[in-house]
Amino acid sequence: MQSPAMASRENQVQERLLAAPEVQSEEERAYYSDEKVIISVSDDDDDFGAAEDDSPAPPFSWRKLWRFTGPGFLMCIAFLDPGNLEGDLQAGAIAGYSLLWLLLWATAMGLLIQLLSALLGVATGRHLAELCREEYPRWAGIVLWLMAELALIGADIQEVIGSAIAIRILSGGVIPLWAGVVITALDCFIFLFLENYGVRKLEAFFGVLIATMAISFGIMFGETTPSGKDLLIGVLVPKLGSKTIKQAVGVVGCVIMPHNVFLHSALVQSRKINTKRRSRVREAMRYYSIESAAALAISFVINVFVTTVFAKSFYGTEKAAGIGLENAGQFLQDKYGATLFPILYIWGLGLLASGQSSTITGTYAGQFIMGGFLNLRVKKWVRALITRSFAVVPAIIVALSFNSSGSAMDSLNESLNVLQSIQVPFALIPLITLVSSEQVMGFFRIGTKLKIVAWLVAAFLIAINGYLLMDYFVSELRGALLGAIVGSFLTIYVAFVIYLINRGTSLSIFCNKSSNSPL
């Protein structure tokens, strides 16, 4: 039997959820009702004013799984962007097959975080950026928004540059880097064109790009024939040497992209789900869990293809330390030539699919982040152009500055990785805080065991990214003045992280006082 306090709080949560459809007409939303994919046309599903029920979720249906399939594959693009591919090839070239186990567990941790993001979006009908605006003080919300934008800009520059490199490879060097950046910027119009034809068309387009990566890197895997035995040992047997710490940090650090956490909580709202019925929320999460796991399994296989190709080709060689996105294809071409297809162009095609897909999802994420934090009511094409310009202008400057220097480009990528690492706590801590809150999640707040696991994973990922951050500052900073500035910044940074953790802990204690049996 419920206590009066618990019953009162559940009533408040339900009143808030029931009010959501009316709010849709007044506030910026991830998807409006006419944009959503209809899962079922039964009267039961269309009765969005019905009271919640405790009935079990409907039986499994392959047709419904197909209708739910899409958001997870858009989400998995962040695990396949040019930054991840560079981390893969460097891990393979320098550490061989030995870090494949870490790639597997990093992907599993990424799946946990993304499923929590999906749960937040499905159970509340609102995405992470919107909830941060509502649940945090205005000043904290503004800071979180700025951090999310910085993370997105850093990721987007890498993705745009990655696409530009691919275009230069495929054009035989005719198209310079800056022109490739401009061409890549035009993908915004592809995105807008496809979005006008519905969510499913956009998801199908990304499916084609993922298939292109899988086929391209699969052909490379077949042509170079890495050792199956070493691959299996690398996946199953944990091994970490002192000389591969940096690559290990890179493998884990690339997994959690802050903007992707915001993105997934919005993408799952593209399906029309009766959130007033617990059985429908359970059903949605079951299908989203299956499709997200399948999508990340495919991304894991693609990452393994890239890692093992470069492990077989360059591990233990003098070239290993100097391989990056820009020269990787040429190194492969010099080694293998064209056994079946010119491997340089196969690499370029896969890299282009990676860069194009990730830049478009970056534009998508930017829309949700800006709209959610600022409640910015402007047309989607205007917001897409604003979001695109945030990355394209810096990317063009970068392309003009680093057009002919591979080492400088590597330094830039390292700096951008650090920029994104700084932002990781500002996505993970609010996410776990909100999915642990009965006030926000109601019946679907996560239980104690899952919350402990989530915090441990978050702490590990934050620590890994913190190591990358400190290593960068120690190796790059010179001068007392610059050191003092960075020290002041780090003090403010740590203070804000502690504030977020303390607020989450306080909210959890408050909710536990209202209910002794969290679900």
Side-chain angles (χ1 to χ4, degrees):
M1 185 173 179
Q2 286 182 331
S3 67
M6 182 178 177
S8 175
R9 182 159 297 283
E10 285 212 4
N11 288 336
Q12 292 174 9
V13 173
Q14 291 306 318
E15 288 173 2
R16 177 180 178 181
L17 292 175
L18 286 169
E22 284 73 26
V23 173
Q24 272 191 345
S25 62
E26 300 175 2
E27 293 188 352
E28 181 63 41
R29 307 297 292 171
Y31 298 91
Y32 293 101
S33 181
D34 60 344
E35 297 175 317
K36 295 186 178 184
V37 176
I38 297 174
I39 301 300
S40 173
V41 295
S42 69
D43 292 335
D44 184 53
D45 279 337
D46 286 342
D47 185 10
F48 273 73
E52 66 179 41
D53 68 281
D54 291 311
S55 60
F60 179 82
S61 164
W62 287 103
R63 185 190 69 82
K64 281 192 175 182
L65 177 60
W66 173 247
R67 299 292 287 174
F68 275 104
T69 297
F73 283 86
L74 268 69
M75 169 272 294
C76 85
I77 294 295
F79 291 71
L80 296 168
D81 71 355
N84 275 278
L85 297 185
E86 184 161 35
D88 292 338
L89 67 87
Q90 290 176 347
I94 296 174
Y97 300 85
S98 65
L99 295 181
L100 291 176
W101 67 275
L102 191 59
L103 176 61
L104 173 64
W105 283 101
T107 304
M109 287 187 287
L111 176 61
L112 172 63
I113 297 299
Q114 296 302 151
L115 288 180
L116 292 180
S117 176
L119 176 62
L120 181 72
V122 172
T124 66
R126 304 176 78 76
H127 58 82
L128 181 57
E130 291 177 307
L131 289 168
C132 285
R133 187 189 76 235
E134 294 176 359
E135 300 297 329
Y136 286 93
R138 181 170 177 76
W139 69 268
I142 293 297
V143 174
L144 289 172
W145 169 62
L146 291 174
M147 294 299 101
E149 291 288 357
L150 283 174
L152 181 60
I153 291 170
D156 226 354
I157 292 175
Q158 285 183 311
E159 293 155 1
V160 170
I161 293 295
S163 286
I165 290 173
I167 291 171
R168 183 161 67 179
I169 291 173
L170 294 174
S171 69
V174 173
I175 300 177
L177 204 61
W178 68 267
V181 169
V182 174
I183 293 171
T184 303
L186 299 178
D187 66 16
C188 179
F189 296 100
I190 297 175
F191 161 73
L192 292 171
F193 174 78
L194 290 172
E195 193 177 31
N196 287 334
Y197 284 88
V199 173
R200 297 294 277 174
K201 301 292 192 304
L202 186 67
E203 291 168 350
F205 175 70
F206 281 101
V208 171
L209 292 177
I210 293 172
T212 300
M213 282 185 271
I215 293 171
S216 298
F217 298 135
I219 291 173
M220 287 173 52
F221 182 87
E223 288 198 2
T224 57
T225 60
S227 168
K229 177 182 177 181
D230 290 341
L231 189 161
L232 188 61
I233 292 173
V235 169
L236 299 178
V237 180
K239 185 187 299 183
L240 186 63
S242 58
K243 295 181 179 180
T244 58
I245 291 292
K246 187 173 182 179
Q247 284 67 44
V249 170
V251 167
V252 177
C254 288
V255 166
I256 295 298
M257 308 290 282
H259 71 273
N260 205 41
V261 179
F262 288 95
L263 176 65
H264 201 197
S265 64
L267 291 174
V268 294
Q269 294 175 46
S270 60
R271 270 56 179 174
K272 197 170 186 179
I273 301 165
N274 187 346
T275 57
K276 311 309 172 295
R277 292 187 178 275
R278 293 176 183 173
S279 61
R280 300 307 179 193
V281 174
R282 291 193 191 99
E283 177 186 48
M285 281 309 302
R286 177 171 65 183
Y287 289 120
Y288 279 139
S289 297
I290 293 172
E291 69 113 16
S292 295
L296 288 190
I298 292 172
S299 76
F300 172 72
V301 171
I302 293 173
N303 283 318
V304 167
F305 283 163
V306 176
T307 302
T308 53
V309 163
F310 286 89
K312 167 66 183 301
S313 305
F314 302 107
Y315 176 57
T317 68
E318 294 180 357
K319 295 179 179 179
I323 297 179
L325 286 179
E326 195 168 11
N327 57 17
Q330 189 60 54
F331 279 175
L332 288 171
Q333 183 73 15
D334 293 343
K335 187 174 181 67
Y336 295 103
T339 54
L340 182 59
F341 301 102
I343 199 166
L344 171 64
Y345 297 106
I346 296 172
W347 166 253
L349 183 61
L351 180 59
L352 180 64
S354 169
Q356 288 293 314
S357 59
S358 55
T359 51
I360 298 176
T361 54
T363 301
Y364 219 17
Q367 287 195 29
F368 295 132
I369 290 170
M370 183 177 292
F373 274 111
L374 303 183
N375 192 23
L376 191 63
R377 300 190 64 195
V378 298
K379 292 182 178 180
K380 286 188 175 182
W381 70 268
V382 175
R383 200 170 2 151
L385 289 177
I386 294 173
T387 304
R388 208 79 215 95
S389 64
F390 279 172
V392 171
V393 173
I396 290 177
I397 295 172
V398 167
L400 291 173
S401 302
F402 296 89
N403 191 41
S404 60
S405 177
S407 61
M409 190 68 76
D410 291 339
S411 298
L412 171 73
N413 281 327
E414 186 177 358
S415 301
L416 293 174
N417 287 335
V418 170
L419 177 63
Q420 293 173 73
S421 298
I422 292 174
Q423 321 305 327
V424 167
F426 306 131
L428 296 189
I429 296 174
L431 172 66
I432 299 175
T433 296
L434 292 170
V435 295
S436 303
S437 168
E438 185 183 8
Q439 183 177 356
V440 174
M441 300 289 291
F443 178 83
F444 289 100
R445 74 183 178 101
I446 62 174
T448 303
K449 292 182 180 179
L450 181 55
K451 182 163 58 176
I452 291 173
V453 173
W455 277 114
L456 288 175
V457 169
F460 175 71
L461 292 171
I462 291 171
I464 286 290
N465 285 280
Y467 173 88
L468 179 62
L469 176 65
M470 294 305 299
D471 179 70
Y472 177 79
F473 283 145
V474 169
S475 61
E476 297 293 331
L477 287 184
R478 298 291 184 272
L481 178 60
L482 186 57
I485 294 173
V486 172
S488 300
F489 164 77
L490 287 177
T491 301
I492 298 172
Y493 174 84
V494 172
F496 188 60
V497 171
I498 293 173
Y499 164 78
L500 293 175
I501 295 172
N502 183 63
R503 183 178 176 85
T505 304
S506 300
L507 184 59
S508 178
I509 293 173
F510 175 78
C511 290
N512 285 334
K513 287 181 179 179
S514 300
S515 171
N516 292 322
S517 57
L519 296 172

